[in-house]
């Protein structure tokens, strides 16, 4: 994140206001996003469907 870029500064500000944190680190592997990234690394991004995102949010296994 470039804090000299007005767009990055605005994104960081609104994320903080809304209670989010912008991070450049990878997500925890057991988080929904971490599970989606691991699935995409194994099966490719083209294999991702809406059902995978729902399953990740609900904690269900991501099936190919």
């Amino acid at each position: 994140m470039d804090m000299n870029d007005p767009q990055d500064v605005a994104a960081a500000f609104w994320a903080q206001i809304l209670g989010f944190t912008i991070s450049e680190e990878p997500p925890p592997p057991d988080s929904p996003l971490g599970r989606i990234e691991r699935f995409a690394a194994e099966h490719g991004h083209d294999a991702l469907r809406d059902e995978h995102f729902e399953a990740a949010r609900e904690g269900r296994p991501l099936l190919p």
Side-chain angles (χ1 to χ4, degrees):
M1 180 169 292
D2 179 6
M3 294 312 275
N4 292 319
D5 180 356
Q7 188 170 359
D8 284 353
V9 171
F13 172 77
W14 285 108
Q16 184 176 6
I17 293 296
L18 296 172
F20 294 96
T21 302
I22 297 177
S23 175
E24 294 181 9
E25 298 175 11
D30 59 340
S31 70
L33 181 56
R35 295 178 61 220
I36 289 289
E37 286 185 348
R38 187 172 59 241
F39 181 89
E42 293 174 13
H43 302 284
H45 287 92
D46 292 337
L48 287 170
R49 299 185 308 275
D50 290 340
E51 296 83 29
H52 292 112
F53 293 96
E54 291 172 17
R57 282 191 301 267
E58 296 170 2
R60 294 184 285 121
L62 304 180
L63 304 174

